Amino acid sequence: MKRLMTTLTGLALAGTMAGAQAQEIVVGGKNFTEQQILASMTSQYLEGLGHEVETRAGMGSAVLRQAQENGQIDLYWEYTGTSLINYNDITESLSPDETYQRVKELDGEKGLVWLEPSEANNTYALAMREESVEETGIDSLSKLAEAVNDGEALSFAMNAEFYAREDGWRPLQQAYDFRVSRGDVKRMDSGLVYQALRDGQVDVGLVFATDGRIPAFDFQVLEDDQNFFPAYALTPVVRQEALDAHPDLAEQMNALSSLLDDQTMATLNARVDVERETIEDVAADFLTDNDLL
């Protein structure tokens, strides 16, 4: 009888542990600053709400996506354009809303649920120094095109890949109906573009919209008012099984998503990449400042 009771107790404990583990939310993240901040922010936020959380950050994009499809990752932040192009092989030009709706539909068939997208869109962008924007009034790509066509002398910097891409510099000029001579475009490493723009060596530079150097170097992103660049809206994506196990999770993550935009992410990224603060502290400060922790 004693042996039977011991066996039953062991089985009960094992069942309890298995049940607890099944309720745990596994949060993933990619291997660059923005994603590491988001993974830490999400984990701290959900733990504060009483969830059991395991964090697996620093993963490659394709590996992370595969892990979610396989059920090893429950939740992470993905970019709409990445899913559209890289995971679903869709190459047609779509508006930001069309991109979101398409990946929501396609990934939904795989058991992955796209929650509400944030206003953060980590896509290609052209930027100028804030003082130059104030002086010239050029705050959009249409106004930039108009200035070029009116003969204003402007110099540009971008990486060689974007300059040569079939969906890069040449079609951008075609979309906005302007033409810059080859001599006015400097091709260089992406990191050097930021330095050249900051130091006044060029007037316009190719950047990523949520890069921390944008606020740190007092840049202003020019509005892509014709939606030329693909949308890369930052959005929480969660497995349907995890949503079934945690009915409040969608509402909780949508609340967090609603607080993020380009400026917010760029500022958070800058605190880590430029000011050298820890990822955990930056994430915690954001949650505290927004009464989420």
Side-chain angles (χ1 to χ4, degrees):
M1 176 65 74
K2 183 176 182 181
R3 179 178 296 177
L4 176 61
M5 290 298 295
T6 301
T7 301
L8 291 173
T9 300
L11 289 172
L13 286 172
T16 299
M17 291 175 64
Q21 190 168 4
Q23 296 300 310
E24 185 178 62
I25 299 174
V26 182
V27 174
K30 302 186 186 185
N31 54 359
F32 53 92
T33 299
E34 179 166 279
Q35 283 277 320
Q36 291 172 332
I37 292 172
L38 288 165
S40 179
M41 181 190 299
T42 301
S43 295
Q44 293 186 55
Y45 171 56
L46 294 180
E47 286 173 350
L49 292 171
H51 293 288
E52 293 291 330
V53 178
E54 178 184 348
T55 308
R56 299 179 188 173
M59 303 174 70
S61 183
V63 173
L64 178 56
R65 167 66 179 222
Q66 191 61 52
Q68 188 178 46
E69 289 189 17
N70 292 341
Q72 298 165 301
I73 297 293
D74 293 315
L75 165 66
Y76 80 99
W77 295 78
E78 187 54 275
Y79 305 91
T80 52
T82 300
S83 178
L84 186 77
I85 298 168
N86 295 85
Y87 306 145
N88 289 293
D89 300 319
I90 305 298
T91 57
E92 64 183 293
S93 179
L94 300 174
S95 71
D97 184 62
E98 289 171 336
T99 299
Y100 171 75
Q101 295 298 335
R102 183 71 65 86
V103 298
K104 184 178 180 68
E105 175 187 354
L106 293 173
D107 285 347
E109 297 171 358
K110 304 168 187 175
L112 307 180
V113 180
W114 283 73
L115 301 179
E116 291 299 315
S118 72
E119 293 296 323
N121 179 23
N122 193 10
T123 187
Y124 279 125
L126 294 184
M128 298 176 64
R129 293 181 299 280
E130 288 182 354
E131 60 185 30
S132 297
V133 172
E134 293 174 0
E135 291 172 1
T136 63
I138 299 172
D139 58 7
S140 69
L141 295 186
S142 289
K143 290 182 180 178
L144 175 67
E146 183 179 345
V148 171
N149 291 334
D150 286 344
E152 188 163 342
L154 296 169
S155 57
F156 296 74
M158 63 194 65
N159 61 46
E161 178 192 4
F162 184 79
Y163 183 86
R165 283 172 58 145
E166 291 299 322
D167 59 348
W169 179 234
R170 189 180 299 108
L172 172 64
Q173 293 178 86
Q174 293 173 347
Y176 280 93
D177 193 22
F178 71 105
R179 182 67 182 269
V180 176
S181 67
R182 182 175 299 184
D184 289 328
V185 181
K186 297 182 180 181
R187 283 160 282 178
M188 60 187 71
D189 179 80
S190 293
L192 296 177
V193 171
Y194 291 86
Q195 296 178 33
L197 184 58
R198 177 194 61 188
D199 297 342
Q201 298 172 1
V202 296
D203 300 302
V204 185
L206 180 74
V207 300
F208 289 97
T210 62
D211 194 293
R213 287 167 290 190
I214 292 174
F217 295 167
D218 295 323
F219 296 163
Q220 181 170 328
V221 170
L222 304 184
E223 180 188 359
D224 179 16
D225 47 323
Q226 293 186 28
N227 293 320
F228 171 81
F229 292 113
Y232 284 85
L234 190 57
T235 309
V237 182
V238 60
R239 292 193 311 118
Q240 182 63 59
E241 291 181 6
L243 285 181
D244 293 341
H246 305 277
D248 296 331
L249 185 58
E251 181 179 355
Q252 292 164 348
M253 290 305 302
N254 286 338
L256 182 57
S257 183
S258 69
L259 300 174
L260 304 178
D261 56 26
D262 287 355
Q263 181 64 35
T264 297
M265 289 311 308
T267 300
L268 295 176
N269 290 335
R271 288 181 59 182
V272 174
D273 288 335
V274 179
E275 300 171 25
R276 301 302 178 188
E277 298 183 52
T278 69
I279 288 168
E280 292 74 19
D281 285 349
V282 170
D285 286 349
F286 175 84
L287 294 172
T288 300
D289 292 344
N290 287 279
D291 298 322
L292 297 177
L293 193 63

